[in-house]
Amino acid sequence: MVFDYPRVLSRPGAEVLASFRMHESAVVAWFSVLAVGALLFVPIALGVGRRADSVRMRWAVRAAVAAGVVQAAGLLRWPLLVPGPAARSASEFESSTAVTEFEFWNRLLGSVVGETPGYSLTAVCGLCWWHRSCGAGVFRAGSPCSARSRRL
């Protein structure tokens, strides 16, 4: 397994940076792909928004756009911000400013910006979309959920 994400994040910053240096090209490539995937929420949500006919759906679109942006910001820390501290930490001690810098950005862009709000906004968006297609009118004929309810 390359980089052992997300378990690698429970290790000390110096170990995370060392692991990043060992697998830098793969980590940068895959986190860039993940960020593009997160950003795809934006055009998908805007496309859905053009068909939005309720206040709940308009809020779902806003939540989806915000989710895509904050998740991408969190994911892009790996290809954009981590390579600098990782390179500097190779020649410095474990208590270096490079490790401190990494730990700051990792906490800010990982937990505070990317993960917690990103997952929460995705959940809000998903619940609003589910309610629109399945919950309102509870399995009315022609809804995407009506066929599923008959199979259960």
Side-chain angles (χ1 to χ4, degrees):
M1 179 182 297
V2 174
F3 196 53
D4 198 24
Y5 185 85
R7 280 183 272 174
V8 71
L9 297 178
S10 64
R11 297 192 185 117
E15 284 183 35
V16 176
L17 291 174
S19 179
F20 178 86
R21 280 191 312 274
M22 283 192 327
H23 307 288
E24 185 170 354
S25 58
V27 173
V28 166
W30 284 112
F31 275 92
S32 297
V33 168
L34 290 170
V36 168
L39 286 172
L40 285 175
F41 260 44
V42 174
I44 291 168
L46 294 175
V48 168
R50 289 192 183 114
R51 302 176 141 215
D53 58 351
S54 71
V55 173
R56 181 175 289 122
M57 286 301 290
R58 286 190 290 275
W59 278 104
V61 168
R62 291 178 185 121
V65 168
V69 170
V70 298
Q71 287 181 27
L75 292 164
L76 285 172
R77 75 186 184 273
W78 295 101
L80 299 179
L81 295 175
V82 176
R88 287 194 322 274
S89 71
S91 61
E92 297 176 0
F93 296 107
E94 283 189 25
S95 62
S96 73
T97 57
V99 173
T100 305
E101 179 184 340
F102 163 75
E103 289 171 344
F104 169 78
W105 287 113
N106 190 52
R107 187 171 300 112
L108 178 66
L109 293 175
S111 299
V112 176
V113 172
E115 292 170 7
T116 304
Y119 296 157
S120 300
L121 289 164
T122 302
V124 166
C125 164
L127 287 171
C128 288
W129 285 345
W130 175 84
H131 186 270
R132 171 67 175 104
S133 62
C134 301
V138 186
F139 304 115
R140 65 189 180 278
S143 87
C145 299
S146 60
R148 268 186 257 141
S149 66
R150 280 182 262 148
R151 283 184 268 163
L152 296 176

PDB file of all heavy atoms in Angstrom, residues 89-121:
ATOM      1  N   SER A  89      12.301  19.182   5.242  1.00  0.00           N
ATOM      2  CA  SER A  89      12.422  18.346   6.442  1.00  0.00           C
ATOM      3  C   SER A  89      13.459  17.243   6.272  1.00  0.00           C
ATOM      4  O   SER A  89      13.954  16.710   7.260  1.00  0.00           O
ATOM      5  CB  SER A  89      11.072  17.733   6.820  1.00  0.00           C
ATOM      6  OG  SER A  89      10.704  16.729   5.898  1.00  0.00           O
ATOM      7  N   ALA A  90      13.803  16.917   5.040  1.00  0.00           N
ATOM      8  CA  ALA A  90      14.806  15.879   4.806  1.00  0.00           C
ATOM      9  C   ALA A  90      16.181  16.315   5.302  1.00  0.00           C
ATOM     10  O   ALA A  90      16.986  15.480   5.708  1.00  0.00           O
ATOM     11  CB  ALA A  90      14.881  15.546   3.317  1.00  0.00           C
ATOM     12  N   SER A  91      16.425  17.608   5.307  1.00  0.00           N
ATOM     13  CA  SER A  91      17.734  18.096   5.726  1.00  0.00           C
ATOM     14  C   SER A  91      17.703  18.777   7.094  1.00  0.00           C
ATOM     15  O   SER A  91      18.723  19.255   7.559  1.00  0.00           O
ATOM     16  CB  SER A  91      18.280  19.074   4.680  1.00  0.00           C
ATOM     17  OG  SER A  91      17.418  20.180   4.567  1.00  0.00           O
ATOM     18  N   GLU A  92      16.535  18.823   7.729  1.00  0.00           N
ATOM     19  CA  GLU A  92      16.419  19.463   9.034  1.00  0.00           C
ATOM     20  C   GLU A  92      16.118  18.413  10.106  1.00  0.00           C
ATOM     21  O   GLU A  92      15.846  17.258   9.804  1.00  0.00           O
ATOM     22  CB  GLU A  92      15.290  20.504   9.002  1.00  0.00           C
ATOM     23  CG  GLU A  92      15.551  21.652   8.031  1.00  0.00           C
ATOM     24  CD  GLU A  92      14.371  22.616   7.946  1.00  0.00           C
ATOM     25  OE1 GLU A  92      13.363  22.396   8.626  1.00  0.00           O
ATOM     26  OE2 GLU A  92      14.474  23.587   7.185  1.00  0.00           O
ATOM     27  N   PHE A  93      16.114  18.846  11.341  1.00  0.00           N
ATOM     28  CA  PHE A  93      15.785  17.956  12.447  1.00  0.00           C
ATOM     29  C   PHE A  93      14.275  17.752  12.519  1.00  0.00           C
ATOM     30  O   PHE A  93      13.505  18.483  11.922  1.00  0.00           O
ATOM     31  CB  PHE A  93      16.295  18.534  13.776  1.00  0.00           C
ATOM     32  CG  PHE A  93      17.784  18.646  13.825  1.00  0.00           C
ATOM     33  CD1 PHE A  93      18.400  19.878  13.735  1.00  0.00           C
ATOM     34  CD2 PHE A  93      18.573  17.504  13.952  1.00  0.00           C
ATOM     35  CE1 PHE A  93      19.774  19.987  13.772  1.00  0.00           C
ATOM     36  CE2 PHE A  93      19.939  17.606  13.982  1.00  0.00           C
ATOM     37  CZ  PHE A  93      20.560  18.850  13.900  1.00  0.00           C
ATOM     38  N   GLU A  94      13.848  16.739  13.314  1.00  0.00           N
ATOM     39  CA  GLU A  94      12.424  16.440  13.462  1.00  0.00           C
ATOM     40  C   GLU A  94      11.629  17.623  13.999  1.00  0.00           C
ATOM     41  O   GLU A  94      10.457  17.761  13.718  1.00  0.00           O
ATOM     42  CB  GLU A  94      12.219  15.229  14.364  1.00  0.00           C
ATOM     43  CG  GLU A  94      12.497  13.925  13.668  1.00  0.00           C
ATOM     44  CD  GLU A  94      12.085  12.733  14.503  1.00  0.00           C
ATOM     45  OE1 GLU A  94      11.201  12.865  15.369  1.00  0.00           O
ATOM     46  OE2 GLU A  94      12.652  11.666  14.293  1.00  0.00           O
ATOM     47  N   SER A  95      12.235  18.441  14.796  1.00  0.00           N
ATOM     48  CA  SER A  95      11.524  19.592  15.368  1.00  0.00           C
ATOM     49  C   SER A  95      11.672  20.829  14.488  1.00  0.00           C
ATOM     50  O   SER A  95      11.619  21.951  14.964  1.00  0.00           O
ATOM     51  CB  SER A  95      12.046  19.881  16.777  1.00  0.00           C
ATOM     52  OG  SER A  95      13.420  20.204  16.708  1.00  0.00           O
ATOM     53  N   SER A  96      11.853  20.631  13.218  1.00  0.00           N
ATOM     54  CA  SER A  96      12.114  21.730  12.299  1.00  0.00           C
ATOM     55  C   SER A  96      10.864  22.555  12.023  1.00  0.00           C
ATOM     56  O   SER A  96       9.733  22.141  12.292  1.00  0.00           O
ATOM     57  CB  SER A  96      12.651  21.181  10.978  1.00  0.00           C
ATOM     58  OG  SER A  96      11.600  20.565  10.266  1.00  0.00           O
ATOM     59  N   THR A  97      11.093  23.721  11.446  1.00  0.00           N
ATOM     60  CA  THR A  97       9.975  24.570  11.054  1.00  0.00           C
ATOM     61  C   THR A  97       9.186  23.934   9.912  1.00  0.00           C
ATOM     62  O   THR A  97       7.989  24.190   9.778  1.00  0.00           O
ATOM     63  CB  THR A  97      10.461  25.965  10.620  1.00  0.00           C
ATOM     64  OG1 THR A  97      11.400  25.815   9.555  1.00  0.00           O
ATOM     65  CG2 THR A  97      11.093  26.708  11.780  1.00  0.00           C
ATOM     66  N   ALA A  98       9.825  23.092   9.102  1.00  0.00           N
ATOM     67  CA  ALA A  98       9.131  22.416   8.009  1.00  0.00           C
ATOM     68  C   ALA A  98       8.052  21.487   8.557  1.00  0.00           C
ATOM     69  O   ALA A  98       6.937  21.436   8.030  1.00  0.00           O
ATOM     70  CB  ALA A  98      10.114  21.637   7.149  1.00  0.00           C
ATOM     71  N   VAL A  99       8.367  20.763   9.622  1.00  0.00           N
ATOM     72  CA  VAL A  99       7.387  19.860  10.231  1.00  0.00           C
ATOM     73  C   VAL A  99       6.258  20.668  10.857  1.00  0.00           C
ATOM     74  O   VAL A  99       5.076  20.339  10.699  1.00  0.00           O
ATOM     75  CB  VAL A  99       8.063  18.929  11.273  1.00  0.00           C
ATOM     76  CG1 VAL A  99       7.034  18.119  12.027  1.00  0.00           C
ATOM     77  CG2 VAL A  99       9.073  18.025  10.591  1.00  0.00           C
ATOM     78  N   THR A 100       6.594  21.756  11.535  1.00  0.00           N
ATOM     79  CA  THR A 100       5.572  22.620  12.140  1.00  0.00           C
ATOM     80  C   THR A 100       4.669  23.212  11.069  1.00  0.00           C
ATOM     81  O   THR A 100       3.446  23.260  11.229  1.00  0.00           O
ATOM     82  CB  THR A 100       6.247  23.738  12.956  1.00  0.00           C
ATOM     83  OG1 THR A 100       7.120  23.147  13.911  1.00  0.00           O
ATOM     84  CG2 THR A 100       5.226  24.605  13.652  1.00  0.00           C
ATOM     85  N   GLU A 101       5.259  23.655   9.977  1.00  0.00           N
ATOM     86  CA  GLU A 101       4.484  24.213   8.865  1.00  0.00           C
ATOM     87  C   GLU A 101       3.539  23.155   8.294  1.00  0.00           C
ATOM     88  O   GLU A 101       2.355  23.418   8.058  1.00  0.00           O
ATOM     89  CB  GLU A 101       5.434  24.711   7.773  1.00  0.00           C
ATOM     90  CG  GLU A 101       4.742  25.284   6.568  1.00  0.00           C
ATOM     91  CD  GLU A 101       5.732  25.669   5.475  1.00  0.00           C
ATOM     92  OE1 GLU A 101       6.934  25.851   5.749  1.00  0.00           O
ATOM     93  OE2 GLU A 101       5.278  25.785   4.321  1.00  0.00           O
ATOM     94  N   PHE A 102       4.063  21.943   8.074  1.00  0.00           N
ATOM     95  CA  PHE A 102       3.225  20.858   7.571  1.00  0.00           C
ATOM     96  C   PHE A 102       2.067  20.580   8.518  1.00  0.00           C
ATOM     97  O   PHE A 102       0.915  20.453   8.087  1.00  0.00           O
ATOM     98  CB  PHE A 102       4.038  19.573   7.372  1.00  0.00           C
ATOM     99  CG  PHE A 102       3.162  18.360   7.261  1.00  0.00           C
ATOM    100  CD1 PHE A 102       2.454  18.108   6.097  1.00  0.00           C
ATOM    101  CD2 PHE A 102       3.015  17.492   8.337  1.00  0.00           C
ATOM    102  CE1 PHE A 102       1.619  17.001   6.005  1.00  0.00           C
ATOM    103  CE2 PHE A 102       2.183  16.392   8.252  1.00  0.00           C
ATOM    104  CZ  PHE A 102       1.481  16.146   7.078  1.00  0.00           C
ATOM    105  N   GLU A 103       2.354  20.475   9.806  1.00  0.00           N
ATOM    106  CA  GLU A 103       1.306  20.161  10.778  1.00  0.00           C
ATOM    107  C   GLU A 103       0.222  21.234  10.810  1.00  0.00           C
ATOM    108  O   GLU A 103      -0.966  20.927  10.931  1.00  0.00           O
ATOM    109  CB  GLU A 103       1.906  19.928  12.163  1.00  0.00           C
ATOM    110  CG  GLU A 103       2.690  18.627  12.229  1.00  0.00           C
ATOM    111  CD  GLU A 103       3.494  18.440  13.504  1.00  0.00           C
ATOM    112  OE1 GLU A 103       3.704  19.441  14.243  1.00  0.00           O
ATOM    113  OE2 GLU A 103       3.913  17.303  13.760  1.00  0.00           O
ATOM    114  N   PHE A 104       0.612  22.494  10.679  1.00  0.00           N
ATOM    115  CA  PHE A 104      -0.366  23.588  10.639  1.00  0.00           C
ATOM    116  C   PHE A 104      -1.282  23.450   9.424  1.00  0.00           C
ATOM    117  O   PHE A 104      -2.506  23.455   9.544  1.00  0.00           O
ATOM    118  CB  PHE A 104       0.346  24.950  10.622  1.00  0.00           C
ATOM    119  CG  PHE A 104      -0.577  26.091  10.330  1.00  0.00           C
ATOM    120  CD1 PHE A 104      -1.406  26.591  11.334  1.00  0.00           C
ATOM    121  CD2 PHE A 104      -0.648  26.652   9.063  1.00  0.00           C
ATOM    122  CE1 PHE A 104      -2.290  27.641  11.071  1.00  0.00           C
ATOM    123  CE2 PHE A 104      -1.521  27.694   8.784  1.00  0.00           C
ATOM    124  CZ  PHE A 104      -2.343  28.191   9.795  1.00  0.00           C
ATOM    125  N   TRP A 105      -0.686  23.362   8.222  1.00  0.00           N
ATOM    126  CA  TRP A 105      -1.489  23.282   7.000  1.00  0.00           C
ATOM    127  C   TRP A 105      -2.293  21.997   6.942  1.00  0.00           C
ATOM    128  O   TRP A 105      -3.426  21.988   6.443  1.00  0.00           O
ATOM    129  CB  TRP A 105      -0.608  23.415   5.758  1.00  0.00           C
ATOM    130  CG  TRP A 105      -0.128  24.811   5.558  1.00  0.00           C
ATOM    131  CD1 TRP A 105       1.161  25.262   5.652  1.00  0.00           C
ATOM    132  CD2 TRP A 105      -0.921  25.963   5.279  1.00  0.00           C
ATOM    133  NE1 TRP A 105       1.201  26.615   5.440  1.00  0.00           N
ATOM    134  CE2 TRP A 105      -0.067  27.072   5.204  1.00  0.00           C
ATOM    135  CE3 TRP A 105      -2.283  26.166   5.084  1.00  0.00           C
ATOM    136  CZ2 TRP A 105      -0.519  28.357   4.928  1.00  0.00           C
ATOM    137  CZ3 TRP A 105      -2.739  27.450   4.819  1.00  0.00           C
ATOM    138  CH2 TRP A 105      -1.864  28.522   4.742  1.00  0.00           C
ATOM    139  N   ASN A 106      -1.732  20.923   7.433  1.00  0.00           N
ATOM    140  CA  ASN A 106      -2.440  19.653   7.426  1.00  0.00           C
ATOM    141  C   ASN A 106      -3.681  19.724   8.313  1.00  0.00           C
ATOM    142  O   ASN A 106      -4.756  19.269   7.937  1.00  0.00           O
ATOM    143  CB  ASN A 106      -1.512  18.526   7.886  1.00  0.00           C
ATOM    144  CG  ASN A 106      -2.131  17.187   7.672  1.00  0.00           C
ATOM    145  OD1 ASN A 106      -2.583  16.867   6.582  1.00  0.00           O
ATOM    146  ND2 ASN A 106      -2.180  16.392   8.723  1.00  0.00           N
ATOM    147  N   ARG A 107      -3.521  20.316   9.493  1.00  0.00           N
ATOM    148  CA  ARG A 107      -4.674  20.452  10.400  1.00  0.00           C
ATOM    149  C   ARG A 107      -5.700  21.420   9.813  1.00  0.00           C
ATOM    150  O   ARG A 107      -6.896  21.137   9.790  1.00  0.00           O
ATOM    151  CB  ARG A 107      -4.217  20.941  11.770  1.00  0.00           C
ATOM    152  CG  ARG A 107      -5.332  20.949  12.811  1.00  0.00           C
ATOM    153  CD  ARG A 107      -4.827  21.236  14.210  1.00  0.00           C
ATOM    154  NE  ARG A 107      -3.855  20.234  14.640  1.00  0.00           N
ATOM    155  CZ  ARG A 107      -2.552  20.478  14.835  1.00  0.00           C
ATOM    156  NH1 ARG A 107      -2.068  21.695  14.670  1.00  0.00           N
ATOM    157  NH2 ARG A 107      -1.729  19.535  15.214  1.00  0.00           N
ATOM    158  N   LEU A 108      -5.239  22.560   9.316  1.00  0.00           N
ATOM    159  CA  LEU A 108      -6.157  23.568   8.785  1.00  0.00           C
ATOM    160  C   LEU A 108      -6.891  23.067   7.543  1.00  0.00           C
ATOM    161  O   LEU A 108      -8.121  23.061   7.485  1.00  0.00           O
ATOM    162  CB  LEU A 108      -5.416  24.869   8.460  1.00  0.00           C
ATOM    163  CG  LEU A 108      -6.284  25.973   7.856  1.00  0.00           C
ATOM    164  CD1 LEU A 108      -7.311  26.461   8.866  1.00  0.00           C
ATOM    165  CD2 LEU A 108      -5.420  27.114   7.376  1.00  0.00           C
ATOM    166  N   LEU A 109      -6.139  22.656   6.531  1.00  0.00           N
ATOM    167  CA  LEU A 109      -6.763  22.259   5.263  1.00  0.00           C
ATOM    168  C   LEU A 109      -7.324  20.848   5.294  1.00  0.00           C
ATOM    169  O   LEU A 109      -8.232  20.525   4.525  1.00  0.00           O
ATOM    170  CB  LEU A 109      -5.778  22.408   4.108  1.00  0.00           C
ATOM    171  CG  LEU A 109      -5.393  23.845   3.790  1.00  0.00           C
ATOM    172  CD1 LEU A 109      -4.323  23.886   2.715  1.00  0.00           C
ATOM    173  CD2 LEU A 109      -6.601  24.649   3.373  1.00  0.00           C
ATOM    174  N   GLY A 110      -6.792  20.011   6.179  1.00  0.00           N
ATOM    175  CA  GLY A 110      -7.297  18.650   6.275  1.00  0.00           C
ATOM    176  C   GLY A 110      -8.561  18.569   7.093  1.00  0.00           C
ATOM    177  O   GLY A 110      -9.645  18.300   6.570  1.00  0.00           O
ATOM    178  N   SER A 111      -8.460  18.846   8.366  1.00  0.00           N
ATOM    179  CA  SER A 111      -9.611  18.675   9.261  1.00  0.00           C
ATOM    180  C   SER A 111     -10.548  19.871   9.273  1.00  0.00           C
ATOM    181  O   SER A 111     -11.755  19.726   9.132  1.00  0.00           O
ATOM    182  CB  SER A 111      -9.118  18.410  10.690  1.00  0.00           C
ATOM    183  OG  SER A 111      -8.366  17.239  10.723  1.00  0.00           O
ATOM    184  N   VAL A 112      -9.997  21.062   9.459  1.00  0.00           N
ATOM    185  CA  VAL A 112     -10.838  22.243   9.660  1.00  0.00           C
ATOM    186  C   VAL A 112     -11.562  22.649   8.378  1.00  0.00           C
ATOM    187  O   VAL A 112     -12.741  22.988   8.402  1.00  0.00           O
ATOM    188  CB  VAL A 112     -10.001  23.423  10.215  1.00  0.00           C
ATOM    189  CG1 VAL A 112     -10.830  24.679  10.339  1.00  0.00           C
ATOM    190  CG2 VAL A 112      -9.400  23.043  11.559  1.00  0.00           C
ATOM    191  N   VAL A 113     -10.895  22.596   7.235  1.00  0.00           N
ATOM    192  CA  VAL A 113     -11.513  23.038   5.982  1.00  0.00           C
ATOM    193  C   VAL A 113     -12.029  21.863   5.159  1.00  0.00           C
ATOM    194  O   VAL A 113     -13.189  21.843   4.757  1.00  0.00           O
ATOM    195  CB  VAL A 113     -10.516  23.875   5.139  1.00  0.00           C
ATOM    196  CG1 VAL A 113     -11.072  24.169   3.756  1.00  0.00           C
ATOM    197  CG2 VAL A 113     -10.164  25.158   5.856  1.00  0.00           C
ATOM    198  N   GLY A 114     -11.183  20.877   4.904  1.00  0.00           N
ATOM    199  CA  GLY A 114     -11.534  19.837   3.937  1.00  0.00           C
ATOM    200  C   GLY A 114     -12.458  18.754   4.428  1.00  0.00           C
ATOM    201  O   GLY A 114     -13.501  18.495   3.823  1.00  0.00           O
ATOM    202  N   GLU A 115     -12.112  18.110   5.521  1.00  0.00           N
ATOM    203  CA  GLU A 115     -12.860  16.928   5.913  1.00  0.00           C
ATOM    204  C   GLU A 115     -14.184  17.245   6.606  1.00  0.00           C
ATOM    205  O   GLU A 115     -15.241  16.871   6.119  1.00  0.00           O
ATOM    206  CB  GLU A 115     -11.998  16.032   6.806  1.00  0.00           C
ATOM    207  CG  GLU A 115     -10.850  15.408   6.043  1.00  0.00           C
ATOM    208  CD  GLU A 115      -9.851  14.707   6.936  1.00  0.00           C
ATOM    209  OE1 GLU A 115     -10.101  14.588   8.146  1.00  0.00           O
ATOM    210  OE2 GLU A 115      -8.824  14.272   6.405  1.00  0.00           O
ATOM    211  N   THR A 116     -14.140  17.926   7.721  1.00  0.00           N
ATOM    212  CA  THR A 116     -15.365  18.128   8.502  1.00  0.00           C
ATOM    213  C   THR A 116     -16.416  18.917   7.725  1.00  0.00           C
ATOM    214  O   THR A 116     -17.533  18.428   7.528  1.00  0.00           O
ATOM    215  CB  THR A 116     -15.039  18.786   9.854  1.00  0.00           C
ATOM    216  OG1 THR A 116     -14.070  17.969  10.527  1.00  0.00           O
ATOM    217  CG2 THR A 116     -16.270  18.923  10.707  1.00  0.00           C
ATOM    218  N   PRO A 117     -16.108  20.123   7.240  1.00  0.00           N
ATOM    219  CA  PRO A 117     -17.139  20.831   6.468  1.00  0.00           C
ATOM    220  C   PRO A 117     -17.463  20.136   5.143  1.00  0.00           C
ATOM    221  O   PRO A 117     -18.611  20.119   4.719  1.00  0.00           O
ATOM    222  CB  PRO A 117     -16.539  22.209   6.198  1.00  0.00           C
ATOM    223  CG  PRO A 117     -15.393  22.342   7.108  1.00  0.00           C
ATOM    224  CD  PRO A 117     -14.935  20.962   7.445  1.00  0.00           C
ATOM    225  N   GLY A 118     -16.467  19.560   4.509  1.00  0.00           N
ATOM    226  CA  GLY A 118     -16.707  18.889   3.230  1.00  0.00           C
ATOM    227  C   GLY A 118     -17.668  17.725   3.364  1.00  0.00           C
ATOM    228  O   GLY A 118     -18.624  17.597   2.592  1.00  0.00           O
ATOM    229  N   TYR A 119     -17.437  16.873   4.353  1.00  0.00           N
ATOM    230  CA  TYR A 119     -18.337  15.735   4.568  1.00  0.00           C
ATOM    231  C   TYR A 119     -19.710  16.214   5.016  1.00  0.00           C
ATOM    232  O   TYR A 119     -20.732  15.674   4.605  1.00  0.00           O
ATOM    233  CB  TYR A 119     -17.761  14.772   5.604  1.00  0.00           C
ATOM    234  CG  TYR A 119     -16.475  14.096   5.197  1.00  0.00           C
ATOM    235  CD1 TYR A 119     -15.608  13.597   6.153  1.00  0.00           C
ATOM    236  CD2 TYR A 119     -16.121  13.939   3.858  1.00  0.00           C
ATOM    237  CE1 TYR A 119     -14.430  12.971   5.797  1.00  0.00           C
ATOM    238  CE2 TYR A 119     -14.945  13.319   3.496  1.00  0.00           C
ATOM    239  CZ  TYR A 119     -14.096  12.827   4.468  1.00  0.00           C
ATOM    240  OH  TYR A 119     -12.932  12.209   4.110  1.00  0.00           O
ATOM    241  N   SER A 120     -19.756  17.229   5.874  1.00  0.00           N
ATOM    242  CA  SER A 120     -21.040  17.743   6.362  1.00  0.00           C
ATOM    243  C   SER A 120     -21.862  18.347   5.221  1.00  0.00           C
ATOM    244  O   SER A 120     -23.064  18.092   5.104  1.00  0.00           O
ATOM    245  CB  SER A 120     -20.819  18.793   7.450  1.00  0.00           C
ATOM    246  OG  SER A 120     -20.128  18.232   8.534  1.00  0.00           O
ATOM    247  N   LEU A 121     -21.216  19.148   4.385  1.00  0.00           N
ATOM    248  CA  LEU A 121     -21.926  19.760   3.258  1.00  0.00           C
ATOM    249  C   LEU A 121     -22.376  18.703   2.249  1.00  0.00           C
ATOM    250  O   LEU A 121     -23.469  18.822   1.673  1.00  0.00           O
ATOM    251  CB  LEU A 121     -21.037  20.802   2.581  1.00  0.00           C
ATOM    252  CG  LEU A 121     -20.812  22.078   3.380  1.00  0.00           C
ATOM    253  CD1 LEU A 121     -19.630  22.865   2.817  1.00  0.00           C
ATOM    254  CD2 LEU A 121     -22.073  22.926   3.390  1.00  0.00           C
TER     255      LEU A 121
END
